[in-house]
Amino acid sequence: MANVEVSLKEIMTSIEGALGAALVDYTSGMALGTLGGGKDLDLGVAAAANTDVIRAKVRTMEMLGLQDGIEDLLITLGTQYHLIRLLGGNGMHSLFLYLVLDRKNSNLAMARHQLKRIEAALEL
């Protein structure tokens, strides 16, 4: 089992093209941990803003009567992928992993696979 710091380090080192990662509580919008980012990628601001994205999607699913869970959300930009993976196990139902990838230097399918693997080992 890995803690937040170890998990974020693993994301940044094992996922090719990773520019930044965060573990976020979407009930509060607060990042519980961040790694990477920079002046052009403020992970604290992104964490809070993506909380609104998740809340909107959850509301939409409720309005549609969908009884399924969200695995992840993908936002595709011209130069980046923003991957939001909701955590479901071990009492982490209000948390998500947020990963920003350089689109030219990443493999989205592998990043999703690695993020799922890292999630399984995460323990708070």
Side-chain angles (χ1 to χ4, degrees), residues 21-48:
L23 178 66
V24 184
D25 177 347
Y26 69 81
T27 58
S28 68
M30 297 295 295
L32 304 177
T34 63
L35 192 60
K39 72 177 185 83
D40 293 331
L41 178 58
D42 185 329
L43 291 171
V45 170

Side-chain angles (χ1 to χ4, degrees), residues 69-105:
I70 299 170
E71 187 173 330
D72 58 37
L73 301 166
L74 173 64
I75 300 167
T76 304
L77 304 179
T79 60
Q80 298 174 343
Y81 292 124
H82 290 233
L83 186 57
I84 301 167
R85 180 168 181 82
L86 278 73
L87 307 185
N90 304 327
M92 297 186 285
H93 294 285
S94 66
L95 301 178
F96 67 90
L97 284 168
Y98 173 61
L99 171 61
V100 179
L101 298 164
D102 179 335
R103 193 168 167 176
K104 289 182 184 177
N105 298 315

Side-chain angles (χ1 to χ4, degrees), residues 46-61:
N50 282 308
T51 294
D52 292 334
V53 172
I54 291 171
R55 289 178 185 157
K57 186 59 184 172
V58 168
R59 278 192 312 273
T60 301
M61 289 179 64

